[in-house]
Amino acid sequence: MKSFLHKTVVIALMAFWTVSCSEFLQEDPKGQIMDNLAFSQRSDLEGAVHALNRQVLKGTKASITFEIVTAGDDASTHPASNKAPRREFDNYDVSDTNSSMTIDTGSWYWLWKMIKAANYIINGVENTPDVTQEEIIFALGQAYYWRAWAYFYLVREWGPVPKVVTEDIDLSIEVSSVSDIFDLIVSDLKEAEKLPANYTAGPWAMNGVNVAVSKGAAQATLAYVYLTMAGWPLNKGAEYYQLAANKALEVIDGAENGTYYYRLYDEYWKIHSKEYNLKNTEVILAVYYSTVTGTGDDSQNARGCIEDIHEISGGYNSWRGEFAFYCDFPEGDRKDWTYAPVTYHVGKGEAYPWWSDEIPEEQRQPYFRKSAFTTDDNTAGTYEYDHYRSFESQSNGWGTQIHQTVRLAEVYCWYAEAVGRSGQTNSRAVELLNRVRNRANGADGPQNIYPSAMTPDELAEAAYNEHGWEIAGYYWGNFAARYFDMHRMNRVRDHFEYRKRNPEREVVPGIFMKEPFGPSGEWDQTKMYLPYPAPDVRMNPNLANIDKLNLIY
């Protein structure tokens, strides 16, 4: 919260780099805006939107923003190395001095930066002279969406948080209830629904897909927000599951009647491929990055691949898969394209199965492959990342690529789950779920495994599981990671207890393994929320001694 209380008084209007068919559009910085009275000309509106997108780019580029998802049952981290802050999330024991929250590249910091930039637009853009109403709606829609997106992360990770809707610096602000924050999120997303369905001109469209937030993105996000509100901790139940189903169906119908261009790919590998990266028609919303600004934490290109590259003595090894989730994952194309086929050993110049004795014991764990990305000038998608080659020979860990926030297959799963949890079932929900699973199994795998006679509970659980498998191991901007599904269903404790038991699993025939570390102590429901960062509590005593579980409503 220090980002909005005392560090961010001035927003520097930085360039927002997006993609054209052949190169990135380069925008010059627009100067500096001190307050919302500076919306005195058209360029101020444009600059404010670019400044907001700068915060979005910075806030979604690095894995540090998403470390909470290692608390999910699909992902873990390295048992040693420099991953101590991340292991706190993985072990459900996060301290208020955890560096992933307190440093100025952490999740808490950047989420408030997004809110600050969004509030600046919301409270000032309508004063801009000589612009059309459509331009005002566009700027406001972007701001409302990203404010909702940031608060959606904050309220699920920290629970009750301050509701900041102005640019004022208030060192004595109090926290608002979880319910109040969700009301703000819903209100913001409804405002964002006023956005156009599609864009046709740069920089907000390229290669036939939207770059900026659109109506469909707002609808899809709202569907998942309703799904979350129906579950823990608000527990609004069937009414909100029905709202989630209705909103998801608006997106699905729009895709099928031509209002939206969204289409499910016929093969799973295309979703995270280099070839389809900048023209991905399954993605409803993504954040677009460029290498034009160079590499490094201060640039505006994506930090993927280097964070979870499955390589011995050459990769960061920040992310890894959990054994149980890997073993229970249905075989087929989706599993093959979720986990790397081999682990490359730099010292030996060879690639081996991840469970091989040739791999050091602390590295014998399945690694995800969805962010593995070549970073040469390969914009035409001439080749994909080769796991049998070294990381150094094909990537530097930075890329001209997208970070996917939500895609159509997820909306299919949310619709089916919401229908089931509302106590209903219908043939369309089953059919959409089969579309997701059929592709996952591949052309040679079983088809239409879900019968029309499924009960509501069976439909809901099947959809919940399909979504988990569909998005496993992908965290870069994804607001519906596996952990957040577990959180809304109040199933985090189940995983905590499982990790404590830490049973061996037969990962491949004849080879048994268990997790290298896990949580200890007794479960406490307060573990469902992170502590506020200590520096902010020192600045604002109103953040101290908050009983979060009594501030749901």
Side-chain angles (χ1 to χ4, degrees), residues 34 50 57 69 115 163 202 223 245 271 300 327 381 402 420 423 432 440 459 498 507 530 538:
M34 298 299 293
H50 290 313
L57 286 161
V69 301
I115 291 168
K163 184 167 66 174
I271 298 167
Q300 293 186 47
C327 292
I402 63 173
L432 291 170
L459 176 64
Y498 178 87
V507 297
L530 301 176
R538 286 195 294 270

mmCIF file of all heavy atoms in Angstrom, residues 34 50 57 69 115 163 202 223 245 271 300 327 381 402 420 423 432 440 459 498 507 530 538:
data_model
loop_
_atom_site.group_PDB
_atom_site.id
_atom_site.type_symbol
_atom_site.label_atom_id
_atom_site.label_comp_id
_atom_site.label_asym_id
_atom_site.label_seq_id
_atom_site.Cartn_x
_atom_site.Cartn_y
_atom_site.Cartn_z
ATOM 1 N N MET A 34 0.205 15.646 -13.130
ATOM 2 C CA MET A 34 0.254 15.807 -11.680
ATOM 3 C C MET A 34 -1.082 15.507 -11.014
ATOM 4 O O MET A 34 -1.141 15.040 -9.904
ATOM 5 C CB MET A 34 0.682 17.237 -11.337
ATOM 6 C CG MET A 34 2.077 17.585 -11.855
ATOM 7 S SD MET A 34 3.361 16.539 -11.168
ATOM 8 C CE MET A 34 3.315 17.057 -9.459
ATOM 9 N N HIS A 50 -2.065 5.010 -21.780
ATOM 10 C CA HIS A 50 -0.749 4.382 -21.915
ATOM 11 C C HIS A 50 -0.098 4.202 -20.546
ATOM 12 O O HIS A 50 0.549 3.175 -20.286
ATOM 13 C CB HIS A 50 0.158 5.228 -22.807
ATOM 14 C CG HIS A 50 -0.247 5.218 -24.245
ATOM 15 N ND1 HIS A 50 -0.560 4.065 -24.918
ATOM 16 C CD2 HIS A 50 -0.379 6.238 -25.145
ATOM 17 C CE1 HIS A 50 -0.884 4.361 -26.176
ATOM 18 N NE2 HIS A 50 -0.789 5.669 -26.331
ATOM 19 N N LEU A 57 1.519 -3.824 -17.598
ATOM 20 C CA LEU A 57 2.670 -4.555 -18.113
ATOM 21 C C LEU A 57 3.643 -4.912 -16.995
ATOM 22 O O LEU A 57 4.098 -6.060 -16.897
ATOM 23 C CB LEU A 57 3.394 -3.707 -19.163
ATOM 24 C CG LEU A 57 2.729 -3.568 -20.534
ATOM 25 C CD1 LEU A 57 3.302 -2.372 -21.279
ATOM 26 C CD2 LEU A 57 2.914 -4.835 -21.349
ATOM 27 N N VAL A 69 0.026 -18.663 -6.114
ATOM 28 C CA VAL A 69 -0.538 -19.848 -6.755
ATOM 29 C C VAL A 69 0.264 -21.103 -6.475
ATOM 30 O O VAL A 69 -0.202 -22.208 -6.764
ATOM 31 C CB VAL A 69 -0.698 -19.638 -8.276
ATOM 32 C CG1 VAL A 69 -1.601 -18.456 -8.561
ATOM 33 C CG2 VAL A 69 0.646 -19.473 -8.964
ATOM 34 N N ILE A 115 -4.229 0.329 -9.529
ATOM 35 C CA ILE A 115 -5.405 1.035 -8.997
ATOM 36 C C ILE A 115 -5.188 2.543 -9.049
ATOM 37 O O ILE A 115 -6.091 3.309 -9.412
ATOM 38 C CB ILE A 115 -5.708 0.549 -7.571
ATOM 39 C CG1 ILE A 115 -6.215 -0.900 -7.614
ATOM 40 C CG2 ILE A 115 -6.720 1.453 -6.878
ATOM 41 C CD1 ILE A 115 -6.281 -1.589 -6.275
ATOM 42 N N LYS A 163 -10.406 0.399 0.385
ATOM 43 C CA LYS A 163 -11.081 0.710 -0.879
ATOM 44 C C LYS A 163 -10.673 2.126 -1.279
ATOM 45 O O LYS A 163 -11.171 3.111 -0.736
ATOM 46 C CB LYS A 163 -12.598 0.589 -0.735
ATOM 47 C CG LYS A 163 -13.341 0.813 -2.047
ATOM 48 C CD LYS A 163 -14.796 0.383 -1.986
ATOM 49 C CE LYS A 163 -15.604 1.231 -1.045
ATOM 50 N NZ LYS A 163 -17.048 0.897 -1.085
ATOM 51 N N GLY A 202 -5.154 -0.098 -34.922
ATOM 52 C CA GLY A 202 -4.097 -0.067 -33.931
ATOM 53 C C GLY A 202 -4.132 1.221 -33.140
ATOM 54 O O GLY A 202 -4.679 2.216 -33.592
ATOM 55 N N ALA A 223 -18.136 -13.208 -15.139
ATOM 56 C CA ALA A 223 -18.633 -14.568 -14.925
ATOM 57 C C ALA A 223 -17.831 -15.268 -13.832
ATOM 58 O O ALA A 223 -18.402 -15.917 -12.941
ATOM 59 C CB ALA A 223 -18.570 -15.367 -16.227
ATOM 60 N N ALA A 245 -23.396 -18.392 -14.647
ATOM 61 C CA ALA A 245 -23.770 -19.141 -15.856
ATOM 62 C C ALA A 245 -24.321 -18.204 -16.920
ATOM 63 O O ALA A 245 -23.963 -18.310 -18.108
ATOM 64 C CB ALA A 245 -24.794 -20.218 -15.498
ATOM 65 N N ILE A 271 -2.325 -23.219 -28.225
ATOM 66 C CA ILE A 271 -2.712 -22.200 -27.246
ATOM 67 C C ILE A 271 -1.518 -21.392 -26.769
ATOM 68 O O ILE A 271 -1.573 -20.159 -26.671
ATOM 69 C CB ILE A 271 -3.422 -22.849 -26.048
ATOM 70 C CG1 ILE A 271 -4.711 -23.535 -26.487
ATOM 71 C CG2 ILE A 271 -3.712 -21.813 -24.959
ATOM 72 C CD1 ILE A 271 -5.307 -24.449 -25.438
ATOM 73 N N GLN A 300 9.758 -3.396 -21.128
ATOM 74 C CA GLN A 300 8.332 -3.705 -21.293
ATOM 75 C C GLN A 300 8.139 -4.999 -22.076
ATOM 76 O O GLN A 300 7.184 -5.144 -22.818
ATOM 77 C CB GLN A 300 7.630 -2.538 -21.986
ATOM 78 C CG GLN A 300 7.581 -1.297 -21.125
ATOM 79 C CD GLN A 300 6.764 -0.190 -21.747
ATOM 80 O OE1 GLN A 300 5.656 -0.411 -22.224
ATOM 81 N NE2 GLN A 300 7.295 1.011 -21.748
ATOM 82 N N CYS A 327 0.268 -37.086 -11.496
ATOM 83 C CA CYS A 327 -0.174 -38.481 -11.615
ATOM 84 C C CYS A 327 -1.664 -38.587 -11.938
ATOM 85 O O CYS A 327 -2.081 -39.494 -12.672
ATOM 86 C CB CYS A 327 0.119 -39.235 -10.323
ATOM 87 S SG CYS A 327 1.880 -39.473 -9.985
ATOM 88 N N GLY A 381 6.856 -17.362 -36.176
ATOM 89 C CA GLY A 381 6.557 -18.652 -35.564
ATOM 90 C C GLY A 381 7.176 -19.803 -36.322
ATOM 91 O O GLY A 381 6.584 -20.868 -36.469
ATOM 92 N N ILE A 402 2.561 -12.752 -25.459
ATOM 93 C CA ILE A 402 1.419 -12.352 -24.652
ATOM 94 C C ILE A 402 1.398 -13.141 -23.350
ATOM 95 O O ILE A 402 1.906 -14.258 -23.274
ATOM 96 C CB ILE A 402 0.080 -12.559 -25.402
ATOM 97 C CG1 ILE A 402 -0.152 -14.049 -25.722
ATOM 98 C CG2 ILE A 402 0.031 -11.716 -26.661
ATOM 99 C CD1 ILE A 402 -1.528 -14.347 -26.300
ATOM 100 N N GLY A 420 -24.021 -26.598 -12.969
ATOM 101 C CA GLY A 420 -24.095 -27.718 -12.035
ATOM 102 C C GLY A 420 -24.252 -27.279 -10.601
ATOM 103 O O GLY A 420 -25.075 -27.821 -9.848
ATOM 104 N N GLY A 423 -27.541 -26.325 -9.206
ATOM 105 C CA GLY A 423 -28.508 -27.408 -9.032
ATOM 106 C C GLY A 423 -29.182 -27.855 -10.305
ATOM 107 O O GLY A 423 -30.208 -28.527 -10.260
ATOM 108 N N LEU A 432 -20.381 -28.500 -24.192
ATOM 109 C CA LEU A 432 -19.239 -27.585 -24.125
ATOM 110 C C LEU A 432 -18.088 -28.207 -23.338
ATOM 111 O O LEU A 432 -16.915 -28.054 -23.695
ATOM 112 C CB LEU A 432 -19.660 -26.264 -23.495
ATOM 113 C CG LEU A 432 -20.603 -25.396 -24.335
ATOM 114 C CD1 LEU A 432 -21.140 -24.237 -23.504
ATOM 115 C CD2 LEU A 432 -19.900 -24.871 -25.587
ATOM 116 N N ALA A 440 -8.465 -32.017 -25.360
ATOM 117 C CA ALA A 440 -7.427 -32.411 -24.408
ATOM 118 C C ALA A 440 -6.944 -33.834 -24.661
ATOM 119 O O ALA A 440 -5.751 -34.130 -24.574
ATOM 120 C CB ALA A 440 -7.964 -32.289 -22.989
ATOM 121 N N LEU A 459 -21.644 -32.846 -12.973
ATOM 122 C CA LEU A 459 -21.300 -31.821 -13.961
ATOM 123 C C LEU A 459 -20.386 -30.772 -13.345
ATOM 124 O O LEU A 459 -19.360 -30.388 -13.938
ATOM 125 C CB LEU A 459 -22.570 -31.173 -14.495
ATOM 126 C CG LEU A 459 -22.389 -30.001 -15.465
ATOM 127 C CD1 LEU A 459 -21.700 -30.451 -16.742
ATOM 128 C CD2 LEU A 459 -23.742 -29.356 -15.777
ATOM 129 N N TYR A 498 -3.025 -32.864 2.932
ATOM 130 C CA TYR A 498 -2.400 -33.845 2.047
ATOM 131 C C TYR A 498 -0.891 -33.632 1.998
ATOM 132 O O TYR A 498 -0.106 -34.587 2.073
ATOM 133 C CB TYR A 498 -2.996 -33.742 0.641
ATOM 134 C CG TYR A 498 -2.356 -34.697 -0.339
ATOM 135 C CD1 TYR A 498 -2.820 -36.001 -0.473
ATOM 136 C CD2 TYR A 498 -1.272 -34.316 -1.120
ATOM 137 C CE1 TYR A 498 -2.229 -36.895 -1.345
ATOM 138 C CE2 TYR A 498 -0.671 -35.187 -2.003
ATOM 139 C CZ TYR A 498 -1.148 -36.480 -2.109
ATOM 140 O OH TYR A 498 -0.545 -37.360 -2.979
ATOM 141 N N VAL A 507 5.078 -42.212 -9.834
ATOM 142 C CA VAL A 507 5.052 -41.191 -10.876
ATOM 143 C C VAL A 507 5.144 -41.795 -12.274
ATOM 144 O O VAL A 507 4.595 -41.266 -13.243
ATOM 145 C CB VAL A 507 6.153 -40.147 -10.654
ATOM 146 C CG1 VAL A 507 5.913 -39.405 -9.330
ATOM 147 C CG2 VAL A 507 7.535 -40.781 -10.655
ATOM 148 N N LEU A 530 -3.338 -13.728 3.220
ATOM 149 C CA LEU A 530 -1.976 -13.319 3.504
ATOM 150 C C LEU A 530 -1.967 -12.171 4.512
ATOM 151 O O LEU A 530 -2.925 -11.403 4.602
ATOM 152 C CB LEU A 530 -1.292 -12.847 2.215
ATOM 153 C CG LEU A 530 -1.195 -13.848 1.073
ATOM 154 C CD1 LEU A 530 -0.585 -13.180 -0.161
ATOM 155 C CD2 LEU A 530 -0.371 -15.063 1.477
ATOM 156 N N ARG A 538 3.191 -0.501 9.504
ATOM 157 C CA ARG A 538 3.879 0.522 10.289
ATOM 158 C C ARG A 538 3.413 1.923 9.892
ATOM 159 O O ARG A 538 3.276 2.806 10.748
ATOM 160 C CB ARG A 538 5.385 0.402 10.110
ATOM 161 C CG ARG A 538 6.003 -0.779 10.835
ATOM 162 C CD ARG A 538 7.499 -0.663 10.925
ATOM 163 N NE ARG A 538 8.138 -0.750 9.612
ATOM 164 C CZ ARG A 538 8.546 -1.880 9.052
ATOM 165 N NH1 ARG A 538 8.373 -3.033 9.707
ATOM 166 N NH2 ARG A 538 9.127 -1.882 7.877
#
